[in-house]
Amino acid sequence: MWMAELAARAQTPVPTVKYYLREQLLPAGERIGATRSSYSEEHVRRLRLIRALVDVAGMGLDAVRDVLAAVDAEAEHGNRVEALGTAHGALSPRHPTTPSATSRQRVADLVSERGWHVDPDGPHGRALSAALDAMDAAEHPLEEAALAVYADAMTEVAAAEVDATLQRAGADAVTYAVTGTVLAEPVLLALRRMAQQDEALRRG
Amino acid sequence: MWMAELAARAQTPVPTVKYYLREQLLPAGERIGATRSSYSEEHVRRLRLIRALVDVAGMGLDAVRDVLAAVDAEAEHGNRVEALGTAHGALSPRHPTTPSATSRQRVADLVSERGWHVDPDGPHGRALSAALDAMDAAEHPLEEAALAVYADAMTEVAAAEVDATLQRAGADAVTYAVTGTVLAEPVLLALRRMAQQDEALRRG
């Protein structure tokens, strides 16, 4: 297909597609003649993934680049878990506010109590520490019991998600995991608010 | 206290405090002499709430105004559930993309199956419909089983949160519910990513 069709299929303006090509986020098409290139279904899939990461996840181009590198590594080497790890890592901010020693210790304790195979000082662990600090700063510290309820709920969610992801083959698994993680966030948060509203009315 | 102390206590620049006063988000202080006013602990609490809503929730001033109105209504009339509803409603975008008929029906079905006392076409229901549409558009539709897992998990979370909220007295309950809803979002999302990472490694 020509660029106009590629752009239309991924609901992306043509100048944006050209920008992604220049930035090498999108691989070049097949050269046909001096000024035209032809694009494949693979281009449509990748362009849609980029748009999801930029628009839905609000990721910067550097983080998008990390996710795409993970997707490519998976396709080449088939190391799915490592690729998933890289892709996921890119979803959390790289340099969040330096978390306090207290909240880092709290996250380390949580990880060790649950036996999670996760670096408490990695991007997600630091994001969690920073979020706990923000609650402290707003004088709304998260109680230990609430943190446990949250961790239990997210373990249920993650188990179901990883099950669904591992049913996919090859490179699709990484794309699926990343888009699912990002795109389902607003779903989870909207459901939480609906459930809160219902619970408040029930007890009110 | 003087404005400089108020600003420092809420980690807010003085010009921003003045802006909130002009916009009547923050009530005027007690006039002391021609050019000075004195502020109370109540001002500190409200300024911190405004900052949390703007910085953490990324809310616009109109939405902040709605939340503050709910907090004030609660303080005056003591109708806690209604105030909670107004405050929560302000947290979801007022005019999200018009959701598709399919996803609105799906949300209506979910609400009726679970017996939730929630308007499926209210702000959270529409936010959920729009999020489901976004997943469809990215060719990553949310399966019915996954939606059920999410709704179950969020019901557990909401039940614990509403319990904690209703233990608070009066106007504090609304402030607590709103700040908790907003501030705990990054906590939940970071925990989900940590749990995903752990689950992927366990099965990988």
Side-chain angles (χ1 to χ4, degrees):
Chain A
M1 73 193 80
W2 306 127
M3 185 181 287
E5 187 182 342
L6 169 64
R9 294 262 318 269
Q11 297 179 289
T12 306
V14 167
T16 307
V17 176
K18 289 184 175 165
Y19 176 66
Y20 294 153
L21 283 166
R22 273 201 309 279
E23 291 284 322
Q24 298 181 314
L25 294 175
L26 204 58
E30 194 194 338
R31 207 61 178 266
I32 305 217
T35 58
R36 304 195 90 178
S37 293
S38 160
Y39 300 90
S40 65
E41 287 301 321
E42 189 50 50
H43 284 94
V44 176
R45 266 201 296 278
R46 171 157 293 214
L47 185 51
R48 280 190 180 141
L49 174 57
I50 296 171
R51 296 305 292 178
L53 297 172
V54 170
D55 291 348
V56 185
M59 283 168 71
L61 288 196
D62 281 346
V64 170
R65 215 181 289 279
D66 286 353
V67 172
L68 296 177
V71 172
D72 293 340
E74 152 81 22
E76 264 179 54
H77 308 295
N79 186 340
R80 187 190 294 189
V81 170
E82 201 175 296
L84 277 171
T86 308
H88 262 137
L91 296 176
S92 279
R94 272 183 245 210
H95 308 290
T97 333
T98 308
S100 70
T102 317
S103 69
R104 283 165 76 180
Q105 186 58 52
R106 201 170 168 198
V107 171
D109 291 346
L110 178 81
V111 165
S112 99
E113 276 158 26
R114 298 197 167 240
W116 278 354
H117 294 88
V118 173
D119 177 5
D121 226 24
H124 307 323
R126 289 177 80 89
L128 176 57
S129 304
L132 293 173
D133 282 342
M135 296 191 75
D136 286 341
E139 298 196 333
H140 187 116
L142 188 65
E143 281 161 34
E144 210 49 41
L147 180 60
V149 169
Y150 288 175
D152 287 344
M154 290 303 117
T155 302
E156 295 292 322
V157 162
E161 290 172 327
V162 171
D163 273 346
T165 298
L166 295 182
Q167 282 165 25
R168 317 259 142 183
D172 272 0
V174 174
T175 307
Y176 185 86
V178 169
T179 50
T181 296
V182 168
L183 290 168
E185 286 184 352
V187 173
L188 281 163
L189 299 179
L191 283 168
R192 174 171 170 238
R193 288 174 184 186
M194 291 169 82
Q196 285 172 338
Q197 208 169 13
D198 175 64
E199 290 285 337
L201 279 170
R202 261 176 222 281
R203 330 244 182 130
Chain B
M1 74 191 81
W2 306 125
M3 184 180 288
E5 187 182 342
L6 169 64
R9 294 260 321 267
Q11 298 179 290
T12 305
V14 167
T16 305
V17 176
K18 288 185 176 165
Y19 175 68
Y20 293 153
L21 283 165
R22 273 201 309 277
E23 291 285 322
Q24 297 180 316
L25 295 175
L26 204 58
E30 194 194 338
R31 207 62 179 263
I32 305 216
T35 59
R36 303 195 90 178
S37 294
S38 159
Y39 300 90
S40 66
E41 288 300 321
E42 189 49 51
H43 284 93
V44 177
R45 266 199 297 278
R46 172 156 293 212
L47 185 51
R48 281 190 179 143
L49 174 59
I50 297 171
R51 296 304 291 179
L53 297 172
V54 171
D55 291 347
V56 185
M59 285 168 71
L61 288 197
D62 281 347
V64 170
R65 217 181 288 279
D66 286 352
V67 171
L68 296 177
V71 172
D72 293 341
E74 152 80 24
E76 263 178 55
H77 308 295
N79 186 341
R80 188 190 293 191
V81 170
E82 201 175 297
L84 276 172
T86 309
H88 262 136
L91 295 176
S92 278
R94 271 183 246 210
H95 308 291
T97 333
T98 309
S100 70
T102 317
S103 68
R104 282 166 75 179
Q105 188 56 53
R106 199 169 170 198
V107 171
D109 291 346
L110 178 82
V111 165
S112 98
E113 277 159 26
R114 298 198 168 240
W116 278 354
H117 294 88
V118 172
D119 177 5
D121 227 24
H124 306 323
R126 289 176 81 88
L128 176 57
S129 304
L132 293 173
D133 282 342
M135 295 192 76
D136 286 341
E139 298 198 331
H140 187 117
L142 189 65
E143 283 162 32
E144 211 48 41
L147 180 60
V149 169
Y150 289 175
D152 287 344
M154 290 303 116
T155 302
E156 295 292 321
V157 162
E161 290 173 328
V162 171
D163 273 346
T165 298
L166 294 182
Q167 282 165 25
R168 318 258 141 183
D172 272 359
V174 175
T175 307
Y176 184 87
V178 170
T179 50
T181 296
V182 168
L183 290 169
E185 286 184 352
V187 173
L188 281 163
L189 299 179
L191 283 168
R192 173 171 171 239
R193 289 174 183 187
M194 291 170 82
Q196 285 173 337
Q197 207 169 13
D198 175 63
E199 290 286 338
L201 279 171
R202 263 178 220 279
R203 330 245 181 130

